[in-house]
Amino acid sequence: MKIFSIIPPRLGGLDLIFPLLLKLKTQHPNIKIEIVFMDNKAYNDLSRDQFLYTEVKDCADKIYDLKPHKGGKIRNRFFSFLNSIPLFIRVLTASNPVLIHSGLEESLFNRLLSKAVRMRSGRIFVHLPSLHITIGVSPPDRKYGKAPDMDAFLYFGDADLAYLKNRKFPSFIQIGYPRLFSIWKENVLNKSSVMVENELRNKNFSPSLKLVTVFVPSTVENVFNINELREWLVSVLKILRESFPEDLILLKPHPLQKMEVVKDVLREMNDENISISFLHAGVLAASSQLVVSHHSSAIVDAMGLLIPYIQYQRFTTHWLRRHPDGSSSLKLEPLWARNENDLRKCIVKALSKDYVVPNIETALKHKENTSMFIE
């Protein structure tokens, strides 16, 4: 059997679905996995994450990059068309292929590819394009376009059903949260220490240094803007340095974050024991004493591995205008700091012997299920 996975735009889309592909390949080595990048930025960003890059290369039998930058819009479309021909040929020569994608509304490309899959008596499954924590989140109030052809929509946890209740999909099947799959967590834990130590050596740090990791959030104008990020970073780094005077602080940037503001803050801090890392979030979290971030799906990478996680966030008026529910991540019960004094207290609590990281799999009602792919 061949599985064709259309990766959502952004590297986070690959990070979302790849643990599922890895599990299928590990349990059923004869399955062929073919990964399709529709967005060249995600494809290019992959090489910066050495862990994910190696895992993908080892797991995938073929990788397509359909949209390399070649010039103008017309020229890009032409090359995208040329690059997609081998994909259609592979689908049309496969027996009972399986297509997985995140196109929640019908597009020309997905419609044509789906027709090719159906011509070969194949199956089609659709999933969310990013890892949403939907507990308590109201369904979007909007009109939707035509739903794509599919056998079923794959959802992560029970809360997704309420979030997606307005969508007209033929059926829903729970797969669980791929980044919480046991095989994925074991893989991350087994490889974390070696990968982190190698990175520290390459950066001329002692591999014996203790780590604290900051997942740098993305910015969206009028929601969480650049100036707010700058203030947030300065505040986080100041308090962490107070609490961990001898330890290494690693900043893991969001894939969409413009790096200028991060580099500016580091220049201002002038601290040789603060560095930037593009290693996978799970790999960094697994080797860290503590992770600090803002509202972020990376909470799953840390708390899923039972690493203490502090959500450092104050809800502004403009944040609540976009997110009336505040932050669904708080439903997973991370340590929550609204100001610097809170952050200091959360750090003390996280490092205490009595603190136990909440089991997020229970809160998310996570259940692993890949049976729909195996006939």
Side-chain angles (χ1 to χ4, degrees):
M1 182 175 69
K2 283 186 180 179
I3 294 179
F4 297 88
S5 179
I6 311 298
I7 299 303
R10 307 175 186 177
L11 188 60
L14 174 63
D15 196 22
L16 165 76
I17 203 66
F18 179 72
L20 166 65
L21 304 179
L22 178 67
K23 179 175 181 176
L24 290 171
K25 187 72 168 183
T26 303
Q27 294 182 337
H28 308 280
N30 292 329
I31 287 178
K32 301 298 181 183
I33 304 289
E34 304 202 0
I35 294 176
V36 183
F37 286 90
M38 297 291 295
D39 178 87
N40 65 307
K41 186 180 187 307
Y43 180 80
N44 293 335
D45 284 348
L46 176 60
S47 61
R48 296 199 300 184
D49 187 332
Q50 193 57 45
F51 170 76
L52 195 58
Y53 176 82
T54 302
E55 295 297 316
V56 169
K57 289 291 186 180
D58 290 345
C59 176
D61 295 279
K62 189 171 181 59
I63 297 175
Y64 304 83
D65 176 19
L66 298 191
K67 290 190 177 181
H69 280 312
K70 295 292 182 180
K73 189 174 182 179
I74 294 177
R75 193 177 183 189
N76 269 342
R77 286 182 176 176
F78 174 72
F79 277 98
S80 296
F81 170 74
L82 288 182
N83 290 342
S84 67
I85 291 175
L87 170 62
F88 278 86
I89 292 173
R90 301 275 287 190
V91 171
L92 289 168
T93 55
S95 177
N96 308 118
V98 173
L99 174 63
I100 309 172
H101 69 84
S102 64
L104 302 186
E105 297 179 7
E106 188 176 65
S107 68
L108 176 60
F109 177 82
N110 282 340
R111 184 167 73 246
L112 294 176
L113 192 59
S114 296
K115 287 184 181 297
V117 169
R118 295 303 191 193
M119 288 173 65
R120 300 300 299 164
S121 302
R123 290 168 294 150
I124 303 168
F125 299 103
V126 179
H127 60 86
L128 286 169
S130 58
L131 180 55
H132 291 287
I133 307 298
T134 57
I135 301 173
V137 178
S138 302
D141 184 18
R142 52 165 288 199
K143 291 184 178 180
Y144 297 100
K146 183 180 178 182
D149 179 21
M150 71 179 80
D151 290 274
F153 185 90
L154 306 179
Y155 67 95
F156 305 134
D158 286 356
D160 293 343
L161 291 178
Y163 180 75
L164 294 165
K165 70 177 184 178
N166 296 331
R167 305 307 299 258
K168 306 300 182 183
F169 297 146
S171 65
F172 293 84
I173 300 176
Q174 182 176 9
I175 60 169
Y177 292 80
R179 290 199 329 240
L180 292 177
F181 282 4
S182 56
I183 191 171
W184 178 251
K185 292 193 295 182
E186 290 169 10
N187 193 33
V188 169
L189 289 169
N190 288 339
K191 297 178 179 178
S192 172
S193 60
V194 172
M195 296 206 73
V196 171
E197 286 176 10
N198 287 341
E199 166 139 322
L200 296 190
R201 287 192 183 95
N202 291 337
K203 292 175 176 288
N204 296 318
F205 291 114
S206 168
S208 63
L209 280 172
K210 292 184 177 181
L211 303 184
V212 179
T213 297
V214 178
F215 292 154
V216 181
S218 62
T219 56
V220 178
E221 193 63 31
N222 296 322
V223 180
F224 185 65
N225 60 44
I226 289 288
N227 289 334
E228 288 176 305
L229 174 60
R230 182 187 300 277
E231 293 173 1
W232 184 89
L233 267 177
V234 169
S235 178
V236 168
L237 295 176
K238 180 184 75 172
I239 303 303
L240 288 180
R241 183 48 76 219
E242 288 178 8
S243 303
F244 303 92
E246 304 297 329
D247 298 342
L248 178 63
I249 301 172
L250 288 180
L251 303 183
K252 163 68 174 175
H254 189 280
L256 296 180
Q257 182 56 56
K258 294 179 180 178
M259 292 302 298
E260 289 82 358
V261 63
V262 179
K263 292 177 180 178
D264 285 347
V265 169
L266 290 188
R267 279 192 291 268
E268 293 171 11
M269 298 294 294
N270 192 28
D271 186 328
E272 293 182 352
N273 270 17
I274 302 176
S275 184
I276 295 171
S277 175
F278 292 100
L279 279 177
H280 186 270
V283 169
L284 289 174
S287 290
S288 298
Q289 307 168 76
L290 174 73
V291 171
V292 180
S293 191
H294 197 263
H295 172 86
S296 171
S297 65
I299 187 174
V300 172
D301 297 290
M303 293 184 69
L305 298 174
L306 301 181
I307 303 300
Y309 179 96
I310 299 174
Q311 182 164 329
Y312 183 33
Q313 180 178 13
R314 177 179 63 86
F315 296 140
T316 61
T317 301
H318 46 278
W319 174 273
L320 292 172
R321 196 176 298 123
R322 174 67 70 88
H323 300 282
D325 302 302
S327 172
S328 56
S329 299
L330 294 177
K331 302 287 186 178
L332 304 184
E333 299 184 358
L335 296 167
W336 181 23
R338 301 163 183 80
N339 54 52
E340 292 185 350
N341 284 334
D342 279 355
L343 183 54
R344 291 184 180 95
K345 293 175 184 177
C346 285
I347 291 172
V348 171
K349 184 174 182 178
L351 299 180
S352 70
K353 294 181 180 179
D354 297 330
Y355 179 67
V356 177
V357 178
N359 185 336
I360 64 171
E361 294 188 15
T362 300
L364 292 169
K365 298 185 178 179
H366 168 70
K367 298 175 185 177
E368 291 188 32
N369 175 28
T370 58
S371 61
M372 73 292 300
F373 296 103
I374 308 301
E375 294 180 310

